[in-house]
Amino acid sequence: MKVGIDLEYMSHRICTISHKFINENDLITADEEQRKYHLYIHWCAKEALYKICDKQDINFRDNLTIEPFHPSERG
């Protein structure tokens, strides 16, 4: 079984690069207080998938979509 994991230091930069990994099917919360957190969850999930798939010919924005979810502090 393959496992992918990604850990990130949270900074303000995620908002300026989100166009590189968020596609029109990725539903990002409209709640400004949760937006950065939501973007990091998407980034880390896509990075973990990328690692599982051996990093071959995968574009984060075009090839990976995260199902809609509600951000939570736990779980």
Side-chain angles (χ1 to χ4, degrees):
M1 173 197 281
K2 290 185 176 185
V3 175
I5 188 168
D6 187 58
L7 301 173
E8 296 291 331
Y9 174 78
M10 292 180 72
S11 73
H12 67 284
R13 187 168 180 244
I14 194 76
C15 295
T16 61
I17 65 165
S18 65
H19 68 280
K20 294 181 179 183
F21 65 93
I22 297 297
N23 67 51
E24 63 276 354
N25 296 316
D26 289 319
L27 299 178
I28 303 300
T29 184
D31 181 350
E32 286 301 317
E33 290 182 21
Q34 294 282 325
R35 184 169 174 77
K36 184 168 77 169
Y37 183 59
H38 214 187
L39 288 171
Y40 269 105
I41 293 171
H42 274 78
W43 173 260
C44 288
K46 289 184 178 195
E47 182 72 26
L49 287 169
Y50 180 73
K51 291 173 181 177
I52 289 172
C53 296
D54 296 326
K55 306 173 187 175
Q56 293 182 358
D57 300 323
I58 296 175
N59 178 291
F60 278 32
R61 192 184 73 212
D62 298 334
N63 303 125
L64 300 174
T65 299
I66 306 302
E67 290 292 319
F69 64 93
H70 296 287
S72 176
E73 289 293 320
R74 296 172 29 163

